[in-house]
Amino acid sequence: MTDLNELPEGFGQADPDFMHEAYAEAKKERSETGDVLFLKSGVTHVFVLPPHKDAPSWFREYREHGIRPEGKFTTITCPKEEGDPCPICEAAAVLWDEKTNESITAAKRLTAKKQFLYNVYVFSSPDGKALKDGIHTLKSGVTVYKELMAYDSDDAGGWGNITDLTRGVEFRIERTGRGRFDTKYSAMPVPQRTNLLEKLDAAGFKIGPPTDLTKVYPARKYDALLELLEQDVPEEEKE
Ligand SMILES: [Zn+2]
């Protein structure tokens, strides 16, 4: 057996205090760059959290292109939102103007689609996420967003303010079907108010800080996007 006290020459022990801080920092890194939860087939049961302190709303809307650099599907945040030019939008505009069937199909493929991000707690999900995993950044398309917004604004119907931490609403978001055209989403509220803080407390968890959603999926620079677009390989047409 190897004696752990006798490290090979040149190696040392990690400083526990240093590592403790580094672990905390690493967690922050992940949550702000790419630790995004996608809705998988089945039911994802969530509680959408109130806005980050610097945000005007509990969701972030952005636009996303989907292209295939070197044949690999990649999503790309459109920089136009931040007032910067976008080579993919420019290419789509040229194709729209050509007005042939082929060019319109190609333009549609390059056109950016609305996407939405939220800070959520997950009660359960098809891939086994739970409250203990802390706050996730959830991504959805327009359908789920519209349903969440409908309940959030429906004061008259007895809903409203779905992100209230002591009187909020849990949602069961279901994804069914397969493929680009058959996949469907629906979001159903659990029909009683939830005190999330109490639930977390009862489970022995403290509410963590939310992610600044504007830092997730930042737009890249024009030249970087142009390079990806030049490598774009459209999918073969399937008969
Ligand atoms: Zn764009």
Side-chain angles (χ1 to χ4, degrees):
M1 251 180 84
T2 314
D3 182 352
L4 293 177
N5 292 319
E6 273 190 42
L7 287 162
E9 197 184 331
F11 289 94
Q13 301 280 4
D15 176 342
D17 290 337
F18 180 91
M19 289 310 292
H20 190 74
E21 266 182 45
Y23 290 141
E25 286 302 312
K27 261 187 200 161
K28 272 190 232 161
E29 286 293 331
R30 266 207 311 281
S31 64
E32 295 211 332
T33 53
D35 187 20
V36 173
L37 183 68
F38 299 91
L39 293 164
K40 310 220 167 45
S41 266
V43 174
T44 303
H45 183 166
V46 302
F47 186 105
V48 180
L49 295 168
H52 180 271
K53 62 182 169 60
D54 300 328
S57 61
W58 44 262
F59 62 88
R60 174 187 161 211
E61 177 180 331
Y62 69 107
R63 283 175 180 273
E64 184 183 85
H65 294 284
I67 62 169
R68 294 164 52 84
E70 292 174 338
K72 190 174 176 290
F73 184 78
T74 307
T75 55
I76 293 166
T77 302
C78 179
K80 272 171 73 174
E81 218 179 328
E82 288 155 28
D84 294 326
C86 174
I88 306 172
C89 285
E90 288 168 8
V94 170
L95 288 162
W96 281 118
D97 284 348
E98 284 177 25
K99 292 191 174 73
T100 65
N101 284 344
E102 292 76 27
S103 81
I104 287 168
T105 305
K108 279 184 184 160
R109 192 180 73 86
L110 291 184
T111 299
K113 290 168 190 64
K114 277 186 189 175
Q115 299 290 339
F116 300 86
L117 297 171
Y118 323 88
N119 280 298
V120 301
Y121 267 100
V122 179
F123 292 100
S124 63
S125 73
D127 55 351
K129 297 280 190 301
L131 279 188
K132 69 171 168 53
D133 299 316
I135 295 174
H136 292 275
T137 300
L138 175 72
K139 180 181 173 184
S140 90
V142 168
T143 307
V144 169
Y145 164 75
K146 281 187 74 166
E147 299 209 25
L148 295 176
M149 287 298 272
Y151 286 101
D152 195 53
S153 60
D154 186 16
D155 293 312
W159 297 99
N161 204 3
I162 61 169
T163 66
D164 189 321
L165 286 173
T166 56
R167 267 192 96 255
V169 180
E170 295 171 27
F171 281 87
R172 292 172 62 81
I173 303 172
E174 186 168 24
R175 174 179 164 167
T176 55
R178 306 184 75 168
R180 208 177 346 158
F181 301 107
D182 288 333
T183 303
K184 297 217 166 24
Y185 296 93
S186 68
M188 289 295 293
V190 173
Q192 82 261 333
R193 292 282 171 164
T194 292
N195 187 330
L196 181 72
L197 297 181
E198 250 176 39
K199 276 200 177 182
L200 288 171
D201 198 44
F205 306 123
K206 222 178 136 219
I207 189 160
T211 296
D212 179 354
L213 299 174
T214 62
K215 301 263 164 63
V216 180
Y217 295 142
R220 278 180 272 185
K221 293 271 174 286
Y222 189 94
D223 288 348
L225 298 181
L226 189 59
E227 203 179 316
L228 290 169
L229 182 62
E230 282 165 354
Q231 297 165 352
D232 180 36
V233 186
E235 212 166 355
E236 298 280 317
E237 286 291 326
K238 289 194 185 89
E239 291 299 320

